[in-house]
Amino acid sequence: MRFDARTVVAPEWEDFGSFYFIVPQVEFDQLQESSMLALTIAWDNNLLWTWQKAMDELKATLQQISSCFGRLRKLDPKTTIISFQHFPSKGSWDISVKRALEIINGRESELVKVVLARCSKYIIDTTTDPLVLLASLKAESQNAYQFYIQPPGAPAFIGNTPEQLFHRKCFHVTSEALAGTRARGVTKAEDLQIGQDLLFRLLFSVSISSIKKCFSSIKLRFTFSCLHV
């Protein structure tokens, strides 16, 4: 979902629309002691989408996935970066950061949190399979969480985030907000003090308020705590 639907859409995001809601047709969950393969089948005879058509499409998807595993077994050829460019440049980026801090520190400013994004464009000498890139990220970043979304006919959107955006087990949903992350203390008492400080920090409270607002339409009970890692 876009942060601000009123802004002009960049060319690389046009095919994604304002938001993208996904019910996976095939979902593979790798758990600690086992793995689970879940298949979603939807059909409606009134819409001329029969059970048989739904099954045929599911079989085609499974066949497509099988061929992907074959591609992943092959080594990805070495790629060379021909050129790269950052938007905005380093100088413009520094000016934006300074300006944002001036606004936040203003006496009558309503701005409490800002995310300044940059775009980096790399030109390489070969075509890279998005699934191979995703597998490489998983191998290099074992403590991070990867995702890959690609609407039909659109570019691939691949993410590699240290945050677990959400985890659901039955009716229990957890989310990790790394906006409130700090280094561990030397002692348990110092850990406790840092944890209490985080819970009352402005940046962390903004994250909590945002989460509560998103789920206000459904009645959920919230508890917040600091995780010592």
Side-chain angles (χ1 to χ4, degrees):
M1 183 174 293
R2 298 176 58 199
F3 286 113
D4 188 352
R6 298 168 298 179
T7 58
V8 179
V9 183
E12 62 267 25
W13 297 112
E14 289 179 349
D15 294 312
F16 287 84
S18 297
F19 62 90
Y20 215 79
F21 180 76
I22 298 173
V23 177
Q25 187 180 33
V26 179
E27 181 180 358
F28 179 75
D29 293 327
Q30 190 171 1
L31 310 176
Q32 290 183 350
E33 298 179 355
S34 63
S35 299
M36 179 176 63
L37 180 66
L39 309 177
T40 300
I41 306 172
W43 74 96
D44 190 334
N45 293 327
N46 295 327
L47 297 178
L48 301 180
W49 190 254
T50 63
W51 164 266
Q52 188 59 50
K53 286 185 178 180
M55 288 299 298
D56 291 342
E57 185 185 49
L58 179 60
K59 291 178 181 178
T61 300
L62 291 174
Q63 182 63 36
Q64 183 181 6
I65 294 174
S66 300
S67 62
C68 289
F69 284 119
R71 295 202 309 269
L72 289 176
R73 293 191 185 99
K74 299 178 181 179
L75 292 176
D76 191 34
K78 296 289 184 179
T79 59
T80 302
I81 298 176
I82 299 176
S83 64
F84 64 90
Q85 192 172 3
H86 303 300
F87 306 94
S89 63
K90 180 64 166 59
S92 299
W93 171 260
D94 292 339
I95 294 174
S96 298
V97 172
K98 183 179 180 181
R99 177 58 179 158
L101 291 175
E102 291 175 350
I103 296 175
I104 291 175
N105 294 327
R107 291 184 178 181
E108 299 180 358
S109 174
E110 297 181 356
L111 187 64
V112 293
K113 180 180 179 181
V114 62
V115 177
L116 299 176
R118 296 184 71 193
C119 175
S120 298
K121 184 176 182 180
Y122 291 84
I123 305 298
I124 58 177
D125 61 347
T126 184
T127 301
T128 300
D129 190 320
L131 285 173
V132 174
L133 178 58
L134 183 72
S136 300
L137 289 174
K138 186 172 180 60
E140 294 292 333
S141 308
Q142 297 183 4
N143 294 326
Y145 301 90
Q146 297 79 31
F147 61 86
Y148 163 37
I149 302 174
Q150 187 173 21
F157 175 33
I158 299 175
N160 188 41
T161 171
E163 295 178 296
Q164 187 178 36
L165 302 182
F166 78 94
H167 174 75
R168 183 185 65 83
K169 183 177 182 181
C170 296
F171 294 102
H172 186 212
V173 179
T174 59
S175 178
E176 297 173 358
L178 295 191
T181 299
R182 283 180 55 182
R184 289 288 303 270
V186 179
T187 64
K188 290 184 178 181
E190 191 175 352
D191 266 347
L192 181 61
Q193 179 61 42
I194 291 174
Q196 291 299 314
D197 179 53
L198 281 174
L199 288 176
F200 293 98
R201 280 181 59 191
L202 177 60
L203 187 60
F204 192 66
S205 64
V206 170
S207 299
I208 292 176
S209 300
S210 177
I211 293 172
K212 285 184 176 180
K213 183 178 179 180
C214 289
F215 290 99
S216 60
S217 59
I218 52 179
K219 296 180 180 179
L220 292 179
R221 184 176 62 184
F222 292 92
T223 57
F224 297 94
S225 62
C226 288
L227 177 66
H228 300 296
V229 179

